[in-house]
Amino acid sequence: MVNSISSGRDAYESVLRSLENHHAMIKQSLPMIASENVPSQAVREALASDFGNRYAEGWVGERVYAGCKYLDEVESVAIELGKKLFKAEFIDVRPISGVLANLCAFTTFGNPGDVLLACTIPTGGHISHSKKSLGGTAGTVRELDVVNYPFDEENFTIDIDKTAQFVRELKDQGRPPKIFVLGASVFLFPHPVKEIVELAKGYDAKVIYDGAHVAGLIAGGIFQDPIGDGVDAFTMSTHKTLAGPQHGAIVSWSKYAEPIKRVIFPGLLSNHHLHAVAGVAIAFAEALEFYPDYARNIVINSKTLAQALFERGINVLYEKKGFTESHMMIMDVTKYGNGFEVEKRLEKANIIVNRNLLPYDKRMGRDYKAPGGIRVGTQELTRLGMKKSEMEEVADFFKKVICDNKDPAKVALEVAELKKGFQKVNYCFSSTKDAYEYIKIR
Ligand code: DSN
């Protein structure tokens, strides 16, 4: 923590020092939080551009401000590329985050009091899909009546038969479902999109697929094709496997374009962070060119790391399903303490992960502060060029810290040594600077 700040100059220097220190730290770390990534230099350039100082309320070509010529050009590129990547009729790249994209979808397709189905947080659901009692966006902000899918914990998937029965019961109670949310923050295997779309049709309900985590995998053609499988809207953030700037987008059909556009502006946003829109356009271009390769390598690395950890005695879940089909895996670390303690030990070794609830944690009396699990993602290490053999080395580091109780400070030195060879962003057009280089403008 910062000690004392006695003047504006102190504060100014302290902030800039923290920024540089962070860059130095991340440079020698293994960033493995599944919702993060490192963008290309071109995306960083967009983020530092004057686009970030401008307004362009309204739709491309119909702005309510002057000065939008180049902003419009760039947003048009993002829209065209987004439609191509996600095989969609319509995309709006204005939501400034994944949560905002979800709120836009909830607002377009639901009214307060409507019943919305989603996964619980321990079964992978995101807080924005959650109930009012948890402070979730759907329940708190949109006042939707959130209920949860019956979940097949053995296979880590939504139980379709039980869900069909559950929604029949809801209908009999006079609470027919209006929105089915798919997608998750612990997203190991594709969700049963076709089955839920079919079920939703019987109730004239809408299906929203939150693909924030897997958008880059979908762009690379390796996970599932939610629009092709018939969802009404596919929301995303643009910085996880997609590796763009922190932003959001909503993909849908021409028939919903006008209501979605109106909800976003003037409903939910004024400024839509045009520097980030430029970053999204660049990330989409990178995805078009490089992601079939990138997405495939992410999944190979996830499977390799999960298997390697398992072989070293760490309880990575869902072995019988191959652990994962995505960029992430989930492990039960209760043999070694709890998720919080293990997260902190790994952090001391410069291995950055997050503690996570396991599907059965609630029954065991565990909560999110000290859950039983750790979630690990391989998308950033893959972007830096790591392959199967590095995943074996990474698994060794985990074992040393978690199972063998080795001094994390010593492991941190080995982590830094491995990381030295992986300092460039791959799967992009230009990579002349180091991935975490701190670029001064002042
Ligand atoms: N969904 C959170 C995560 O997965 O870390 C970020 O929104």
Side-chain angles (χ1 to χ4, degrees):
M1 291 310 242
V2 187
N3 290 331
S4 68
I5 289 175
S6 56
S7 68
R9 167 63 63 177
D10 270 5
Y12 166 81
E13 281 171 3
S14 152
V15 169
L16 291 166
R17 208 166 37 245
S18 293
L19 287 172
E20 292 200 46
N21 287 343
H22 174 83
H23 276 249
M25 181 272 286
I26 208 83
K27 180 182 170 147
Q28 53 187 2
S29 302
L30 296 177
M32 300 186 78
I33 289 178
S35 48
E36 300 177 349
N37 215 323
V38 57
S40 65
Q41 278 169 232
V43 168
R44 290 174 72 190
E45 197 170 310
L47 291 178
S49 74
D50 183 68
F51 271 34
N53 310 320
R54 304 298 150 198
Y55 271 91
E57 285 175 358
W59 191 249
V60 176
E62 306 163 11
R63 308 296 194 187
V64 298
Y65 293 100
C68 298
K69 179 175 187 300
Y70 299 107
L71 306 173
D72 274 4
E73 279 180 13
V74 167
E75 196 164 320
S76 301
V77 171
I79 290 169
E80 284 318 305
L81 292 182
K83 288 198 291 195
K84 196 168 175 148
L85 277 177
F86 300 113
K87 304 184 189 84
E89 292 177 356
F90 171 75
I91 183 170
D92 196 319
V93 294
R94 291 176 299 172
I96 58 170
S97 70
V99 169
L100 246 296
N102 281 341
L103 183 55
C104 167
F106 301 154
T107 308
T108 305
F109 297 121
N111 288 303
D114 284 350
V115 172
L116 173 149
L117 274 94
C119 288
T120 62
I121 289 175
T123 59
H126 189 252
I127 187 66
S128 63
H129 312 163
S130 300
K131 297 174 191 231
K132 192 168 191 160
S133 58
L134 297 175
T137 313
T140 310
V141 183
R142 194 55 191 152
E143 299 199 327
L144 293 160
D145 177 5
V146 179
V147 292
N148 298 124
Y149 290 111
F151 200 78
D152 172 0
E153 278 178 25
E154 280 279 297
N155 293 295
F156 202 72
T157 191
I158 293 162
D159 187 320
I160 290 291
D161 292 341
K162 288 190 181 152
T163 298
Q165 172 64 28
F166 179 50
V167 292
R168 273 197 295 276
E169 288 164 15
L170 286 171
K171 184 167 183 226
D172 291 347
Q173 293 162 18
R175 295 166 68 203
K178 284 284 168 57
I179 296 177
F180 290 80
V181 175
L182 296 171
S185 290
V186 182
F187 209 168
L188 305 177
F189 309 108
H191 272 181
V193 174
K194 286 185 184 147
E195 292 85 343
I196 292 290
V197 165
E198 204 46 45
L199 183 62
K201 276 188 196 144
Y203 296 88
D204 200 20
K206 298 291 188 284
V207 181
I208 298 168
Y209 180 95
D210 181 343
H213 267 275
V214 291
L217 303 182
I218 292 171
I222 203 168
F223 197 68
Q224 60 190 157
D225 173 13
I227 290 290
D229 288 345
V231 304
D232 296 286
F234 162 17
T235 61
M236 71 187 80
S237 54
T238 52
H239 49 270
K240 298 181 167 83
T241 50
L242 196 55
Q246 293 207 340
H247 196 73
I250 177 165
V251 176
S252 188
W253 302 87
S254 300
K255 63 184 172 185
Y256 300 128
E258 289 312 314
I260 287 173
K261 283 158 71 175
R262 256 190 84 67
V263 165
I264 291 176
F265 177 79
L268 291 173
L269 290 171
S270 166
N271 191 311
H272 60 284
H273 298 183
L274 294 139
H275 55 327
V277 171
V280 168
I282 292 165
F284 282 173
E286 292 167 354
L288 207 58
E289 201 87 11
F290 304 104
Y291 279 26
D293 206 22
Y294 177 40
R296 192 181 57 249
N297 286 333
I298 290 174
V299 177
I300 290 171
N301 278 349
S302 290
K303 285 177 171 291
T304 306
L305 179 61
Q307 181 67 38
L309 290 166
F310 193 75
E311 282 166 7
R312 286 159 179 76
I314 296 174
N315 186 14
V316 185
L317 301 184
Y318 304 110
E319 186 218 359
K320 71 172 185 187
K321 290 190 71 176
F323 304 106
T324 177
E325 294 296 331
S326 76
H327 57 304
M328 67 168 86
M329 66 210 70
I330 184 105
M331 54 194 79
D332 180 331
V333 293
T334 50
K335 239 181 1 179
Y336 311 103
N338 62 49
F340 175 76
E341 290 159 354
V342 171
E343 175 197 286
K344 292 295 159 213
R345 266 155 58 195
L346 287 166
E347 188 180 32
K348 286 190 187 135
N350 281 343
I351 299 171
I352 315 293
V353 300
N354 68 281
R355 60 188 179 274
N356 217 98
L357 283 164
L358 300 170
Y360 43 84
D361 266 353
K362 286 270 148 88
R363 285 201 300 281
M364 312 297 275
R366 295 191 282 258
D367 66 11
Y368 73 93
K369 289 188 193 136
I374 288 284
R375 185 187 65 166
V376 171
T378 60
Q379 70 291 339
E380 189 160 342
L381 301 190
T382 309
R383 189 137 165 95
L384 296 170
M386 292 196 190
K387 296 264 171 63
K388 280 176 154 185
S389 68
E390 287 78 33
M391 293 303 108
E392 298 283 342
E393 283 187 65
V394 171
D396 283 337
F397 298 147
F398 273 77
K399 177 174 182 293
K400 285 180 188 175
V401 176
I402 301 179
C403 316
D404 305 341
N405 252 320
K406 291 261 156 63
D407 178 0
K410 291 210 173 105
V411 180
L413 298 176
E414 297 178 47
V415 164
E417 198 50 40
L418 170 68
K419 192 73 186 302
K420 270 188 195 157
F422 297 92
Q423 290 294 333
K424 289 277 192 277
V425 172
N426 291 265
Y427 312 103
C428 61
F429 295 98
S430 164
S431 204
T432 55
K433 295 195 188 305
D434 281 357
Y436 307 101
E437 188 170 329
Y438 185 76
I439 301 166
K440 276 190 189 173
I441 299 180
R442 68 184 187 281

